[in-house]
């Protein structure tokens, strides 16, 4: 209708993130041990966004379900000496084992060598790779030849933003979460792409957004076991059961 679009709008506000934080969730060693002890009954999922260490950083996210809320209880940005890929992989392997992580979602694009190391250690079923695409027929679709998932970047990011606004995601206490993780999420802005005729998300080169993508990959990994068609529904063939990335349970899933 000829309406202009205000470029640079932020999809999340600081207050929305604050409202999603829980004061009783801490990344302290004592609190983390409680999640380790419950990992047999409450599956833990991980997400990794790989970065170079120069303006972009590798970020690891751990999350689980608590009362059908997707609770992020640990995030870690790899900086300084941890920017070395071999150091990152070694630490991630220790964390995956310590928390008995069921499924790990990783960034396909940048971390080819790191992903290869993790797959050789844990196998291709446990390490699921996700590659962003600007245009897809489905929000998430499988590429069996390359053993990866293709993800409609803008639509899936929008779904996660909206789920956070609906308070379906929970984060650690604000004092621990705000830097650098919440800041990464607040660095994202939306803009209209005239060529693709759609809204896309970006960030300034000196303001990273890696923590958000680590969260996205963690949530997509969780959908292997816990379909959430109320948040993301890439598979229209099985609307009653939600998306199936392989190995998902056949019994009905409480969608909150």
């Amino acid at each position: 209708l000829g309406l202009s679009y205000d470029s640079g709008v932020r999809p999340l506000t600081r207050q929305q993130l604050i409202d999603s934080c829980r004061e009783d969730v801490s990344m302290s060693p004592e609190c983390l041990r409680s999640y380790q002890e419950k990992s047999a009954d409450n599956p833990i999922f991980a997400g990794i966004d790989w970065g170079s260490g120069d303006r972009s950083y590798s970020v690891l996210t751990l999350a689980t379900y608590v009362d059908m809320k997707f609770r992020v209880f640990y995030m870690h940005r790899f900086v300084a000496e941890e920017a070395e890929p071999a150091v990152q992989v070694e630490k991630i392997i220790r964390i995956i084992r310590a928390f008995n992580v069921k499924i790990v979602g990783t960034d396909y694009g940048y971390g080819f060598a790191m992903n290869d190391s993790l797959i050789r250690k844990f196998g291709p079923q446990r390490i699921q790779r996700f590659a962003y695409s600007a245009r897809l027929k489905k929000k998430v679709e499988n590429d069996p030849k390359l053993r990866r998932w293709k993800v409609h970047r803008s639509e899936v990011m929008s779904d996660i933003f909206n789920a956070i606004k609906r308070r379906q995601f929970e984060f650690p206490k604000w004092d621990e979460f705000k830097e650098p993780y919440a800041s990464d999420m607040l660095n994202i802005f939306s803009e209209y792409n005239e060529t693709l005729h759609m809204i896309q998300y970006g960030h300034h080169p000196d303001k990273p957004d890696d923590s958000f993508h680590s969260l996205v990959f963690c949530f997509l990994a969780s959908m292997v076991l816990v379909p959430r068609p109320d948040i993301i529904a890439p598979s229209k063939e099985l609307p009653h059961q939600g998306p199936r990335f392989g190995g998902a349970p056949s019994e009905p899933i409480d969608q909150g």
Side-chain angles (χ1 to χ4, degrees):
L1 298 176
L3 298 177
S4 62
Y5 181 79
D6 185 14
S7 180
V9 175
R10 298 187 186 279
L12 288 174
T13 67
R14 187 174 185 270
Q15 190 59 51
Q16 286 167 340
L17 289 177
I18 291 174
D19 292 342
S20 298
C21 291
R22 292 182 60 102
E23 283 301 308
D24 60 339
V25 178
S26 170
M27 292 189 277
S28 66
E30 295 79 11
C31 191
L32 291 176
R33 273 195 292 272
S34 69
Y35 289 97
Q36 286 180 280
E37 294 167 357
K38 298 174 184 176
S39 63
D41 299 320
N42 281 60
I44 291 174
F45 308 100
I48 306 168
D49 185 49
W50 302 110
S52 64
D54 179 20
R55 295 190 178 185
S56 69
Y57 303 92
S58 294
V59 178
L60 170 69
T61 295
L62 297 182
T64 188
Y65 271 99
V66 179
D67 297 327
M68 288 310 296
K69 296 289 185 71
F70 193 69
R71 178 178 293 180
V72 173
F73 62 87
Y74 178 76
M75 299 187 85
H76 181 74
R77 174 190 276 185
F78 294 84
V79 296
E81 65 273 7
E82 288 188 340
E84 183 65 33
V87 176
Q88 294 177 23
V89 170
E90 182 180 349
K91 182 166 185 171
I92 288 170
I93 288 172
R94 290 200 306 269
I95 291 174
I96 291 173
R97 286 174 170 166
F99 285 88
N100 190 28
V101 175
K102 296 298 182 184
I103 307 290
V104 183
T106 69
D107 172 17
Y108 177 87
Y110 180 79
F112 181 82
M114 289 84 86
N115 287 336
D116 183 70
S117 297
L118 294 179
I119 290 172
R120 291 178 185 278
K121 184 68 66 174
F122 298 109
Q125 295 302 313
R126 202 169 175 186
I127 307 298
Q128 300 283 333
R129 298 176 297 172
F130 297 91
Y132 282 136
S133 178
R135 279 261 173 102
L136 288 174
K137 292 182 179 180
K138 297 180 180 180
K139 289 184 183 179
V140 182
E141 61 183 44
N142 183 244
D143 186 338
K145 292 183 179 179
L146 293 178
R147 289 178 172 262
R148 67 179 180 183
W149 298 95
K150 294 188 288 186
V151 180
H152 193 301
R153 187 179 188 274
S154 295
E155 290 202 13
V156 169
M157 288 179 69
S158 295
D159 289 337
I160 302 300
F161 289 136
N162 290 330
I164 292 172
K165 294 174 185 178
R166 291 193 301 267
R167 307 284 287 276
Q168 292 177 293
F169 282 62
E170 296 178 338
F171 301 108
K173 60 172 61 178
W174 178 250
D175 286 345
E176 298 179 3
F177 178 66
K178 62 182 178 181
E179 292 293 342
Y181 313 111
S183 291
D184 277 9
M185 298 181 187
L186 294 174
N187 286 337
I188 300 171
F189 57 83
S190 60
E191 55 187 355
Y192 188 76
N193 186 310
E194 295 287 353
T195 302
L196 298 177
H197 301 291
M198 63 183 296
I199 293 173
Q200 292 188 307
Y201 298 103
H203 65 101
H204 296 293
D206 59 339
K207 294 184 178 182
D209 63 349
D210 312 295
S211 298
F212 181 77
H213 297 292
S214 176
L215 171 66
V216 171
F217 298 139
C218 184
F219 181 72
L220 291 174
S222 78
M223 290 180 64
V224 173
L225 295 181
V226 187
R228 293 304 302 267
D230 58 320
I231 295 178
I232 298 176
S235 176
K236 295 182 180 179
E237 289 80 0
L238 295 170
H240 60 294
Q241 294 177 326
R244 285 188 172 275
F245 295 170
S250 59
E251 66 270 13
I253 299 296
D254 176 13
Q255 299 300 338

